[in-house]
Coordinates of all heavy atoms in Angstrom, one line a residue:
M1 N 10.6 8.4 -13.9 CA 11.2 8.3 -15.4 C 10.9 6.9 -15.9 O 11.4 6.0 -15.3 CB 12.6 8.7 -15.3 CG 13.2 9.1 -16.7 SD 14.7 9.9 -16.6 CE 15.8 8.6 -16.5
S2 N 10.2 6.8 -17.0 CA 10.0 5.6 -17.6 C 10.9 5.4 -18.9 O 10.8 6.1 -19.8 CB 8.6 5.4 -17.9 OG 8.3 4.2 -18.8
L3 N 11.7 4.3 -18.8 CA 12.6 4.1 -20.1 C 12.3 2.7 -20.6 O 13.1 2.1 -21.2 CB 14.0 4.2 -19.6 CG 14.4 5.6 -19.2 CD1 15.8 5.6 -18.7 CD2 14.3 6.6 -20.3
E4 N 11.0 2.3 -20.5 CA 10.7 1.0 -21.0 C 10.8 0.9 -22.6 O 10.5 2.0 -23.2 CB 9.1 0.8 -20.7 CG 9.0 0.1 -19.3 CD 7.6 0.1 -18.9 OE1 6.7 -0.2 -19.7 OE2 7.3 0.6 -17.7
G5 N 11.2 -0.1 -23.0 CA 11.4 -0.3 -24.4 C 12.9 0.0 -24.9 O 13.1 -0.3 -26.0
G6 N 13.6 0.7 -24.0 CA 14.9 0.9 -24.3 C 15.9 -0.2 -24.1 O 15.5 -1.2 -23.4
C7 N 17.1 -0.2 -24.6 CA 18.0 -1.2 -24.4 C 18.5 -1.2 -23.0 O 18.2 -0.2 -22.3 CB 19.2 -1.2 -25.4 SG 20.2 0.3 -25.2
T8 N 19.4 -2.2 -22.7 CA 19.9 -2.2 -21.3 C 20.7 -1.0 -20.9 O 20.7 -0.5 -19.8 CB 20.8 -3.4 -21.1 OG1 21.8 -3.5 -22.0 CG2 20.0 -4.7 -21.0
H9 N 21.4 -0.4 -21.9 CA 22.1 0.8 -21.7 C 21.2 2.0 -21.3 O 21.5 2.7 -20.3 CB 23.0 1.2 -22.8 CG 23.9 0.1 -23.3 ND1 23.7 -0.6 -24.6 CD2 25.0 -0.3 -22.7 CE1 24.6 -1.4 -24.7 NE2 25.5 -1.4 -23.7
V10 N 20.1 2.2 -22.1 CA 19.2 3.2 -21.8 C 18.6 3.1 -20.5 O 18.3 4.0 -19.7 CB 18.2 3.3 -23.0 CG1 17.0 4.2 -22.6 CG2 18.9 3.9 -24.3
R11 N 18.1 1.8 -20.3 CA 17.4 1.6 -18.9 C 18.3 1.7 -17.8 O 17.9 1.9 -16.7 CB 16.8 0.1 -19.0 CG 15.6 0.1 -19.9 CD 14.7 -1.1 -19.6 NE 15.5 -2.3 -19.5 CZ 15.5 -3.3 -20.5 NH1 14.9 -3.1 -21.6 NH2 16.3 -4.3 -20.3
G12 N 19.6 1.7 -18.0 CA 20.6 1.9 -17.0 C 20.8 3.4 -16.6 O 21.4 3.6 -15.5
V13 N 20.2 4.2 -17.3 CA 20.4 5.6 -16.9 C 19.4 5.9 -15.8 O 18.1 5.8 -15.9 CB 20.0 6.6 -18.2 CG1 20.0 8.1 -17.8 CG2 21.0 6.4 -19.2
V14 N 19.8 6.3 -14.7 CA 19.0 6.5 -13.5 C 18.5 8.0 -13.5 O 17.4 8.2 -13.3 CB 19.8 6.3 -12.2 CG1 18.9 6.6 -11.0 CG2 20.2 4.8 -12.1
K15 N 19.5 8.8 -13.8 CA 19.1 10.3 -13.8 C 19.8 10.9 -15.1 O 21.0 10.8 -15.2 CB 19.6 10.9 -12.6 CG 19.2 12.4 -12.4 CD 19.6 12.9 -10.9 CE 19.1 14.3 -10.6 NZ 19.7 15.3 -11.6
V16 N 19.1 11.6 -16.0 CA 19.6 12.0 -17.3 C 20.6 13.2 -16.9 O 20.3 14.1 -16.1 CB 18.5 12.5 -18.1 CG1 19.1 13.3 -19.3 CG2 17.5 11.5 -18.3
R17 N 21.7 13.1 -17.6 CA 22.8 14.1 -17.3 C 22.5 15.2 -18.5 O 22.4 14.9 -19.7 CB 24.2 13.5 -17.6 CG 24.5 12.6 -16.5 CD 25.9 12.0 -16.7 NE 26.9 12.9 -16.3 CZ 28.2 12.6 -16.0 NH1 28.5 11.4 -15.8 NH2 29.1 13.5 -15.6
H18 N 22.5 16.4 -18.1 CA 22.1 17.5 -19.1 C 23.4 18.3 -19.3 O 24.4 18.3 -18.6 CB 21.1 18.5 -18.5 CG 19.8 17.7 -18.4 ND1 19.0 17.4 -19.6 CD2 19.1 17.2 -17.4 CE1 18.0 16.8 -19.2 NE2 18.0 16.7 -17.9
A19 N 23.4 19.0 -20.5 CA 24.5 19.7 -20.9 C 24.9 20.8 -19.8 O 24.1 21.6 -19.5 CB 24.2 20.4 -22.2
A20 N 26.3 20.9 -19.6 CA 26.6 22.0 -18.7 C 26.8 23.2 -19.4 O 26.6 24.3 -18.9 CB 28.2 21.6 -18.0
R21 N 27.2 23.1 -20.8 CA 27.3 24.3 -21.7 C 26.7 24.0 -23.0 O 26.7 22.9 -23.4 CB 28.8 24.6 -21.8 CG 29.5 24.7 -20.5 CD 31.0 24.9 -20.8 NE 31.3 26.2 -21.4 CZ 32.5 26.7 -21.4 NH1 33.5 26.1 -20.8 NH2 32.8 27.9 -22.0
R22 N 26.0 25.0 -23.6 CA 25.3 24.8 -24.8 C 26.3 25.0 -26.0 O 26.2 25.9 -26.7 CB 24.1 25.7 -24.9 CG 23.2 25.5 -23.8 CD 21.8 25.1 -24.1 NE 21.4 25.3 -25.5 CZ 21.2 24.3 -26.4 NH1 21.2 23.0 -26.0 NH2 20.9 24.6 -27.6
E23 N 27.3 24.0 -26.0 CA 28.2 24.1 -27.2 C 28.8 22.8 -27.3 O 29.0 22.0 -26.3 CB 29.3 25.1 -27.0 CG 30.1 25.0 -25.7 CD 30.9 26.3 -25.3 OE1 30.5 27.3 -25.7 OE2 31.9 26.0 -24.6
C24 N 29.4 22.5 -28.6 CA 30.1 21.2 -28.7 C 31.5 21.4 -28.3 O 32.2 22.4 -28.9 CB 30.0 20.8 -30.3 SG 31.2 19.5 -30.5
E25 N 32.0 20.7 -27.4 CA 33.3 20.9 -26.9 C 34.4 20.6 -27.8 O 35.5 21.3 -27.9 CB 33.5 20.1 -25.6 CG 33.4 18.8 -25.6 CD 33.4 18.0 -24.2 OE1 32.5 18.3 -23.4 OE2 34.4 17.4 -23.9
D26 N 34.2 19.6 -28.8 CA 35.2 19.4 -29.7 C 35.2 20.5 -30.9 O 36.3 20.8 -31.4 CB 35.0 18.0 -30.3 CG 35.3 17.0 -29.3 OD1 36.0 17.3 -28.3 OD2 34.9 15.9 -29.6
C27 N 34.0 21.0 -31.3 CA 33.9 22.0 -32.3 C 34.6 23.3 -31.8 O 35.2 24.1 -32.6 CB 32.5 22.3 -32.7 SG 31.8 21.1 -33.9
V28 N 34.4 23.5 -30.6 CA 34.9 24.7 -29.9 C 36.5 24.7 -30.0 O 37.2 25.7 -30.5 CB 34.6 24.9 -28.4 CG1 35.4 25.9 -27.7 CG2 33.1 25.4 -28.4
K29 N 37.1 23.6 -29.8 CA 38.5 23.4 -29.9 C 39.0 23.6 -31.3 O 40.1 24.1 -31.6 CB 38.9 22.0 -29.4 CG 39.0 21.8 -27.9 CD 39.3 20.4 -27.5 CE 38.8 20.0 -26.2 NZ 38.6 18.5 -26.1
M30 N 38.2 23.1 -32.3 CA 38.7 23.1 -33.6 C 38.1 24.3 -34.5 O 38.4 24.4 -35.7 CB 38.5 21.8 -34.3 CG 37.0 21.5 -34.4 SD 36.7 19.8 -35.3 CE 36.8 20.3 -37.0
G31 N 37.2 25.0 -33.8 CA 36.6 26.2 -34.6 C 35.5 25.7 -35.5 O 35.3 26.3 -36.5
G32 N 34.9 24.6 -35.3 CA 34.0 24.0 -36.1 C 32.5 24.6 -35.8 O 32.3 25.3 -34.8
A33 N 31.6 24.2 -36.6 CA 30.2 24.7 -36.4 C 29.3 23.4 -36.1 O 29.6 22.4 -36.7 CB 29.7 25.3 -37.6
W34 N 28.2 23.5 -35.4 CA 27.4 22.5 -35.1 C 26.0 22.8 -35.4 O 25.6 24.0 -35.5 CB 27.6 21.9 -33.7 CG 27.3 22.9 -32.6 CD1 26.0 23.2 -32.1 CD2 28.1 23.8 -32.0 NE1 26.1 24.1 -31.3 CE2 27.5 24.7 -31.2 CE3 29.5 24.0 -32.1 CZ2 27.9 25.6 -30.3 CZ3 30.2 25.1 -31.4 CH2 29.3 25.8 -30.5
L35 N 25.1 21.7 -35.5 CA 23.6 22.0 -35.7 C 22.9 21.7 -34.4 O 22.4 22.6 -33.8 CB 23.2 21.0 -36.8 CG 22.0 21.4 -37.5 CD1 22.0 22.7 -38.1 CD2 21.5 20.4 -38.6
H36 N 23.0 20.4 -34.0 CA 22.3 20.1 -32.7 C 23.3 19.5 -31.8 O 24.3 19.0 -32.2 CB 21.2 19.0 -33.0 CG 20.1 19.6 -33.9 ND1 19.7 18.9 -35.0 CD2 19.4 20.8 -33.8 CE1 18.7 19.7 -35.6 NE2 18.5 20.7 -34.9
L37 N 23.0 19.6 -30.4 CA 23.8 19.1 -29.4 C 23.3 17.9 -28.7 O 22.1 17.7 -28.4 CB 24.1 20.2 -28.4 CG 24.8 21.4 -29.0 CD1 24.9 22.6 -28.0 CD2 26.2 21.0 -29.4
R38 N 24.2 16.9 -28.3 CA 23.9 15.7 -27.6 C 24.8 15.7 -26.3 O 26.0 16.0 -26.4 CB 24.1 14.6 -28.5 CG 23.5 14.6 -29.9 CD 22.0 14.6 -29.8 NE 21.3 14.7 -31.1 CZ 20.4 15.6 -31.4 NH1 20.0 16.5 -30.5 NH2 19.8 15.5 -32.6
T39 N 24.3 15.2 -25.3 CA 25.1 15.0 -24.0 C 25.2 13.6 -23.7 O 24.4 12.8 -23.6 CB 24.4 15.8 -22.9 OG1 24.3 17.2 -23.2 CG2 25.2 15.6 -21.6
C40 N 26.6 13.1 -23.5 CA 26.9 11.8 -23.2 C 26.5 11.5 -21.8 O 26.8 12.3 -20.9 CB 28.5 11.6 -23.4 SG 29.2 10.0 -22.8
Q41 N 25.8 10.4 -21.7 CA 25.3 10.0 -20.3 C 26.4 9.3 -19.4 O 26.1 9.0 -18.3 CB 24.1 9.1 -20.5 CG 23.0 9.9 -21.2 CD 22.5 11.1 -20.4 OE1 22.1 11.0 -19.3 NE2 22.7 12.2 -21.1
T42 N 27.5 9.0 -20.1 CA 28.6 8.4 -19.2 C 29.5 9.4 -18.6 O 29.8 9.4 -17.4 CB 29.4 7.4 -20.1 OG1 28.5 6.5 -20.8 CG2 30.4 6.6 -19.3
C43 N 29.9 10.4 -19.4 CA 30.9 11.3 -18.9 C 30.3 12.8 -18.9 O 31.0 13.6 -18.3 CB 32.2 11.3 -19.8 SG 31.9 11.9 -21.4
G44 N 29.1 13.0 -19.4 CA 28.6 14.3 -19.3 C 29.1 15.3 -20.4 O 28.6 16.5 -20.4
G45 N 29.9 14.8 -21.3 CA 30.4 15.7 -22.4 C 29.3 16.0 -23.4 O 28.5 15.2 -23.7
T46 N 29.3 17.3 -23.9 CA 28.3 17.6 -24.9 C 29.0 17.8 -26.2 O 29.9 18.6 -26.3 CB 27.6 19.0 -24.4 OG1 26.8 18.6 -23.2 CG2 26.6 19.4 -25.5
R47 N 28.4 17.2 -27.3 CA 29.1 17.2 -28.6 C 27.9 17.3 -29.6 O 26.8 17.2 -29.4 CB 29.9 16.1 -28.7 CG 31.1 16.0 -28.0 CD 32.0 14.8 -28.1 NE 33.1 14.9 -27.3 CZ 33.2 14.5 -26.0 NH1 32.1 14.1 -25.3 NH2 34.3 14.7 -25.3
C48 N 28.4 17.5 -30.9 CA 27.4 17.7 -32.0 C 26.8 16.5 -32.6 O 27.5 15.4 -32.5 CB 28.0 18.6 -33.1 SG 29.6 18.1 -33.7
C49 N 25.7 16.7 -33.2 CA 24.8 15.4 -33.7 C 25.3 15.0 -35.0 O 26.2 15.6 -35.7 CB 23.3 15.9 -33.8 SG 23.2 17.1 -35.2
D50 N 24.7 14.0 -35.6 CA 25.0 13.4 -36.9 C 24.7 14.3 -38.1 O 25.1 14.0 -39.2 CB 24.4 12.0 -37.0 CG 25.2 11.0 -36.3 OD1 26.3 11.2 -35.7 OD2 24.8 9.7 -36.4
S51 N 23.8 15.3 -37.8 CA 23.6 16.3 -38.9 C 24.5 17.4 -39.0 O 24.5 18.2 -39.8 CB 22.1 16.7 -38.6 OG 21.1 15.8 -38.6
S52 N 25.4 17.4 -38.0 CA 26.4 18.4 -37.9 C 27.7 17.9 -38.8 O 27.9 16.6 -38.9 CB 26.9 18.6 -36.6 OG 25.9 19.0 -35.7
P53 N 28.5 18.8 -39.4 CA 29.6 18.3 -40.3 C 30.5 17.4 -39.6 O 31.2 16.4 -40.2 CB 30.3 19.7 -40.5 CG 29.3 20.8 -40.2 CD 28.4 20.3 -39.2
N54 N 30.8 17.5 -38.2 CA 31.9 16.7 -37.6 C 31.4 15.6 -36.8 O 32.2 14.7 -36.4 CB 32.7 17.7 -36.8 CG 33.4 18.7 -37.6 OD1 34.3 18.3 -38.6 ND2 33.2 19.9 -37.4
K55 N 30.1 15.5 -36.6 CA 29.6 14.3 -35.9 C 30.3 13.9 -34.6 O 30.6 12.7 -34.5 CB 29.3 13.1 -36.9 CG 28.5 13.5 -38.1 CD 28.5 12.3 -39.1 CE 27.8 12.7 -40.3 NZ 27.6 11.8 -41.3
H56 N 30.6 14.9 -33.8 CA 31.4 14.6 -32.7 C 30.8 13.6 -31.6 O 31.5 12.9 -31.0 CB 31.9 15.8 -32.0 CG 33.0 16.5 -32.7 ND1 32.9 17.9 -33.0 CD2 34.1 16.1 -33.3 CE1 34.1 18.3 -33.8 NE2 34.7 17.2 -33.9
A57 N 29.5 13.7 -31.5 CA 28.8 13.0 -30.5 C 29.0 11.4 -30.9 O 29.3 10.5 -30.0 CB 27.4 13.2 -30.3
S58 N 28.7 11.0 -32.1 CA 28.8 9.6 -32.5 C 30.3 9.1 -32.5 O 30.6 8.0 -32.2 CB 28.1 9.3 -33.8 OG 28.6 10.0 -34.8
R59 N 31.1 10.1 -32.9 CA 32.6 9.8 -32.8 C 33.1 9.4 -31.4 O 33.8 8.5 -31.2 CB 33.4 10.8 -33.5 CG 33.5 10.8 -35.0 CD 34.8 11.4 -35.4 NE 34.5 12.6 -36.3 CZ 35.5 13.5 -36.6 NH1 36.7 13.4 -36.2 NH2 35.1 14.4 -37.4
H60 N 32.6 10.3 -30.6 CA 32.9 10.1 -29.1 C 32.3 8.8 -28.7 O 33.1 8.0 -27.9 CB 32.4 11.3 -28.4 CG 32.4 11.1 -26.8 ND1 33.6 11.1 -26.1 CD2 31.6 10.7 -25.9 CE1 33.3 10.9 -24.9 NE2 32.1 10.6 -24.7
A61 N 31.1 8.5 -29.1 CA 30.5 7.2 -28.6 C 31.3 6.0 -29.1 O 31.5 5.1 -28.2 CB 29.0 7.1 -29.1
K62 N 31.7 6.0 -30.3 CA 32.5 4.9 -30.8 C 34.0 4.9 -30.3 O 34.4 3.8 -29.8 CB 32.7 5.0 -32.4 CG 31.3 4.8 -33.1 CD 31.6 4.5 -34.6 CE 30.4 4.5 -35.4 NZ 29.9 5.7 -35.9
G63 N 34.5 6.0 -30.1 CA 35.9 6.1 -29.6 C 36.1 5.8 -28.2 O 37.2 5.2 -27.7
S64 N 35.0 6.1 -27.3 CA 35.1 5.9 -25.9 C 34.4 4.9 -25.4 O 34.4 4.5 -24.1 CB 34.8 7.3 -25.3 OG 33.5 7.6 -25.6
A65 N 33.5 4.2 -26.3 CA 32.5 3.1 -25.8 C 31.7 3.7 -24.6 O 31.3 3.0 -23.7 CB 33.3 2.0 -25.2
H66 N 31.2 5.0 -24.9 CA 30.1 5.6 -24.1 C 28.9 5.5 -25.0 O 28.7 6.3 -25.9 CB 30.5 7.0 -23.7 CG 31.5 7.2 -22.8 ND1 32.1 8.4 -22.4 CD2 32.3 6.3 -22.1 CE1 33.2 8.2 -21.6 NE2 33.3 7.0 -21.4
P67 N 27.9 4.5 -24.7 CA 26.9 4.3 -25.6 C 25.8 5.3 -25.7 O 25.1 5.4 -26.7 CB 26.4 2.9 -25.2 CG 26.7 2.8 -23.8 CD 28.0 3.6 -23.6
V68 N 25.4 5.9 -24.6 CA 24.1 6.6 -24.5 C 24.2 8.1 -24.5 O 25.1 8.6 -23.8 CB 23.2 6.1 -23.3 CG1 21.8 6.9 -23.3 CG2 23.1 4.7 -23.3
I69 N 23.5 8.8 -25.4 CA 23.4 10.3 -25.3 C 22.0 10.7 -25.0 O 21.0 10.0 -25.3 CB 23.9 10.9 -26.5 CG1 23.3 10.3 -27.8 CG2 25.5 10.8 -26.6 CD1 22.3 11.0 -28.5
C70 N 21.8 11.9 -24.6 CA 20.5 12.5 -24.6 C 20.6 13.7 -25.4 O 21.6 14.3 -25.8 CB 20.0 12.9 -23.2 SG 20.8 14.4 -22.6
S71 N 19.4 14.2 -26.0 CA 19.4 15.4 -26.7 C 19.6 16.5 -25.8 O 19.0 16.6 -24.6 CB 17.9 15.6 -27.4 OG 17.9 16.8 -27.9
A72 N 20.4 17.5 -26.2 CA 20.7 18.7 -25.4 C 19.9 19.9 -25.9 O 20.2 21.1 -25.5 CB 22.2 19.0 -25.3
E73 N 19.0 19.6 -26.8 CA 18.2 20.7 -27.4 C 16.9 21.0 -26.5 O 16.3 20.1 -25.9 CB 17.6 20.2 -28.8 CG 18.7 20.1 -29.8 CD 19.6 21.3 -30.0 OE1 19.0 22.3 -30.2 OE2 20.8 21.2 -29.9
P74 N 16.7 22.3 -26.4 CA 15.5 22.6 -25.6 C 14.2 22.1 -26.0 O 14.0 22.0 -27.3 CB 15.5 24.2 -25.6 CG 16.7 24.6 -26.3 CD 17.2 23.4 -27.0
G75 N 13.4 21.5 -25.1 CA 12.2 20.8 -25.5 C 12.3 19.4 -26.0 O 11.2 18.8 -26.2
E76 N 13.5 18.8 -26.1 CA 13.6 17.5 -26.6 C 14.0 16.7 -25.3 O 14.9 17.0 -24.6 CB 14.7 17.4 -27.6 CG 14.3 18.0 -29.0 CD 15.3 17.7 -30.1 OE1 16.2 17.0 -29.9 OE2 15.1 18.3 -31.2
H77 N 13.2 15.5 -25.2 CA 13.5 14.7 -24.1 C 13.6 13.3 -24.5 O 12.7 12.6 -24.5 CB 12.3 14.8 -23.0 CG 12.2 16.3 -22.6 ND1 13.0 16.9 -21.6 CD2 11.3 17.2 -22.9 CE1 12.7 18.0 -21.4 NE2 11.6 18.4 -22.1
W78 N 14.7 12.9 -25.0 CA 15.0 11.5 -25.4 C 16.4 11.1 -25.1 O 17.3 12.0 -25.1 CB 14.6 11.3 -26.8 CG 15.0 12.2 -27.8 CD1 14.4 13.3 -28.4 CD2 16.4 12.2 -28.5 NE1 15.2 13.8 -29.3 CE2 16.4 13.3 -29.4 CE3 17.5 11.4 -28.4 CZ2 17.5 13.6 -30.2 CZ3 18.6 11.7 -29.2 CH2 18.6 12.8 -30.1
L79 N 16.6 9.8 -25.0 CA 17.8 9.1 -24.8 C 18.0 8.3 -26.1 O 17.2 7.7 -26.6 CB 17.9 8.4 -23.5 CG 17.8 9.1 -22.2 CD1 17.4 8.1 -21.2 CD2 19.2 9.7 -21.9
Y80 N 19.3 8.0 -26.5 CA 19.6 7.3 -27.6 C 20.9 6.5 -27.4 O 21.9 7.0 -26.9 CB 19.9 8.1 -28.9 CG 20.2 7.3 -30.1 CD1 19.2 6.6 -30.8 CD2 21.5 7.4 -30.7 CE1 19.5 5.8 -31.8 CE2 21.8 6.5 -31.7 CZ 20.8 5.8 -32.4 OH 21.1 5.0 -33.5
C81 N 20.8 5.2 -27.8 CA 21.9 4.3 -27.5 C 22.5 4.0 -29.0 O 21.8 3.5 -29.8 CB 21.6 3.0 -26.9 SG 23.0 1.9 -26.9
Y82 N 23.9 4.4 -29.2 CA 24.4 4.2 -30.5 C 24.5 2.7 -30.9 O 24.0 2.3 -32.0 CB 25.7 4.8 -30.6 CG 25.6 6.3 -30.8 CD1 25.9 7.2 -29.7 CD2 25.4 6.9 -32.0 CE1 25.7 8.6 -29.8 CE2 25.2 8.3 -32.1 CZ 25.4 9.1 -31.1 OH 25.3 10.5 -31.2
P83 N 25.2 1.9 -30.1 CA 25.4 0.5 -30.5 C 24.0 -0.3 -30.7 O 24.0 -1.2 -31.6 CB 26.2 -0.2 -29.4 CG 26.2 0.8 -28.3 CD 25.9 2.1 -28.8
D84 N 23.0 0.1 -30.0 CA 21.8 -0.7 -30.1 C 20.7 0.1 -31.0 O 19.7 -0.4 -31.2 CB 21.1 -1.0 -28.7 CG 22.0 -1.9 -27.9 OD1 22.3 -3.0 -28.5 OD2 22.4 -1.7 -26.8
D85 N 21.0 1.3 -31.4 CA 20.1 2.1 -32.2 C 18.7 2.2 -31.5 O 17.7 1.9 -32.0 CB 20.0 1.5 -33.6 CG 19.2 2.4 -34.5 OD1 19.2 3.7 -34.3 OD2 18.6 1.9 -35.5
S86 N 18.8 2.4 -30.2 CA 17.6 2.4 -29.3 C 17.2 3.8 -29.0 O 18.1 4.5 -28.2 CB 17.8 1.5 -28.2 OG 16.8 1.6 -27.2
L87 N 16.1 4.2 -29.2 CA 15.7 5.6 -28.8 C 14.4 5.6 -28.0 O 13.5 4.9 -28.2 CB 15.4 6.5 -30.1 CG 15.1 7.9 -29.7 CD1 16.0 8.9 -30.6 CD2 13.5 8.3 -30.0
V88 N 14.5 6.4 -26.8 CA 13.4 6.3 -25.9 C 13.2 7.7 -25.4 O 14.1 8.4 -25.0 CB 13.7 5.4 -24.6 CG1 12.6 5.6 -23.6 CG2 13.8 4.0 -25.1
E89 N 11.9 8.1 -25.5 CA 11.6 9.5 -24.9 C 11.3 9.4 -23.4 O 10.9 8.3 -22.9 CB 10.3 10.0 -25.6 CG 10.7 10.2 -27.1 CD 9.5 11.1 -27.7 OE1 9.1 12.1 -27.2 OE2 9.1 10.6 -28.8
Y90 N 11.5 10.4 -22.7 CA 11.3 10.4 -21.2 C 10.5 11.6 -20.9 O 10.4 12.6 -21.6 CB 12.6 10.2 -20.5 CG 13.5 11.4 -20.7 CD1 13.5 12.5 -19.8 CD2 14.5 11.4 -21.6 CE1 14.4 13.6 -20.0 CE2 15.4 12.4 -21.8 CZ 15.3 13.5 -21.0 OH 16.1 14.5 -21.2
Ligands
ZN101 ZN1 22.3 0.0 -25.6
ZN102 ZN1 31.2 19.2 -32.8
ZN103 ZN1 31.3 10.3 -22.9

C-alpha cells in the first residue's frame, strides 16, 4: 500500500479499516439520512460525509480528534485527513 504524498496521519495507517456496517451509526440513532459513508481509521466507526445533512464523519473527527477517514463507498479507495486536508488514493 503506497500512501506517499499523504500527511503523517495518513501515512500512519498501516491497514485500512473498512466499514463493519453500511450505515451511519449516528444517523441511525437519530433517524437521519445520509448520502455517502466514511469510516474512521482510529476507532472504525462509520458515519456520513460532508454532502450529507448531518456531516457526522467530520463532526466526529473534530469532536474526538480522530483525524483520518476512508471512503466506505464501493469502488472508492482513498484516505482523507481532516486537520491536514490531505487526500491519498490507495
Ligand atoms: Zn494529517
Ligand atoms: Zn450521519
Ligand atoms: Zn473515530
Side-chain angles (χ1 to χ4, degrees):
M1 194 161 87
S2 172
L3 296 172
E4 278 171 41
C7 68
T8 52
H9 304 110
V10 166
R11 289 200 308 263
V13 175
V14 177
K15 190 171 182 297
V16 178
R17 297 178 75 152
H18 292 288
R21 307 171 68 157
R22 302 240 342 114
E23 59 191 24
C24 170
E25 55 188 71
D26 291 345
C27 281
V28 165
K29 279 179 208 153
M30 60 181 275
W34 62 85
L35 200 57
H36 299 128
L37 294 170
R38 310 292 182 234
T39 300
C40 175
Q41 296 302 293
T42 307
C43 67
T46 296
R47 293 177 177 84
C48 53
C49 70
D50 280 357
S51 302
S52 305
N54 296 299
K55 304 181 182 179
H56 283 131
S58 61
R59 276 208 242 170
H60 169 75
K62 287 195 188 88
S64 62
H66 292 173
V68 181
I69 47 106
C70 76
S71 174
E73 297 300 312
E76 292 188 4
H77 302 279
W78 50 261
L79 294 163
Y80 178 74
C81 173
Y82 284 102
D84 291 311
D85 191 25
S86 173
L87 184 125
V88 175
E89 297 193 47
Y90 62 89

